[in-house]
Amino acid sequence: RLVKVDGKVRTDATYPAGFMDVVSIEKTNEHFRLLYDVKGRYVLHRITPEEAKFKLVHVKHVTQGLKGVPFCVTHDGRTIRYPDPLIKVNDSVKVDLDTGKIIDFIKFE
């Protein structure tokens, strides 16, 4: 119960953490973000506690669900309901890890 991935306690040693995931160790008050190095390997990048509160995700699908509810699906499998109508596929979205809501988005150009 010492390691958190994206703000949730993970006890499974084989939990599949992926790109841009935030890994927090509360006992030592350390926060890391999983990124790629120049050779394509995962590397832990130390971040501040303020940076550990959000995550950048890539939008894969934007569709409408039941009863016309719009939602978007991100690269890490998150489904976010009622996104901004300006958010399209391939945009990057800044997601608050506590609430799961969209804070900001960056258009793909």
Side-chain angles (χ1 to χ4, degrees):
R1 302 215 172 264
L2 301 175
V3 177
K4 290 184 177 181
V5 177
D6 286 344
K8 294 184 181 175
V9 174
R10 302 295 181 188
T11 56
D12 186 9
T14 61
Y15 180 77
F19 182 64
M20 293 300 287
D21 280 352
V22 175
V23 179
S24 302
I25 303 171
E26 296 294 324
K27 200 173 210 180
T28 59
N29 199 22
E30 291 179 308
H31 305 280
F32 303 95
R33 191 176 304 276
L34 269 171
L35 298 173
Y36 293 127
D37 66 359
V38 293
K39 292 189 175 181
R41 299 172 296 201
Y42 281 120
V43 63
L44 288 173
H45 178 72
R46 190 180 304 268
I47 57 175
T48 63
E50 291 80 35
E51 278 185 278
K53 295 178 182 173
F54 69 87
K55 177 179 181 176
L56 290 175
V57 294
H58 179 76
V59 176
K60 291 290 186 183
H61 306 288
V62 178
T63 54
Q64 286 192 352
L66 295 175
K67 298 182 183 174
V69 176
F71 67 92
C72 66
V73 180
T74 63
H75 80 273
D76 62 345
R78 291 176 188 265
T79 301
I80 302 171
R81 293 173 47 143
Y82 297 106
D84 191 307
L86 298 175
I87 295 175
K88 304 295 180 204
V89 176
N90 293 328
D91 291 349
S92 293
V93 175
K94 185 176 176 182
V95 175
D96 183 19
L97 291 176
D98 294 334
T99 62
K101 304 285 184 196
I102 295 173
I103 300 171
D104 195 14
F105 66 95
I106 298 113
K107 295 296 290 177
F108 179 74
E109 296 181 23

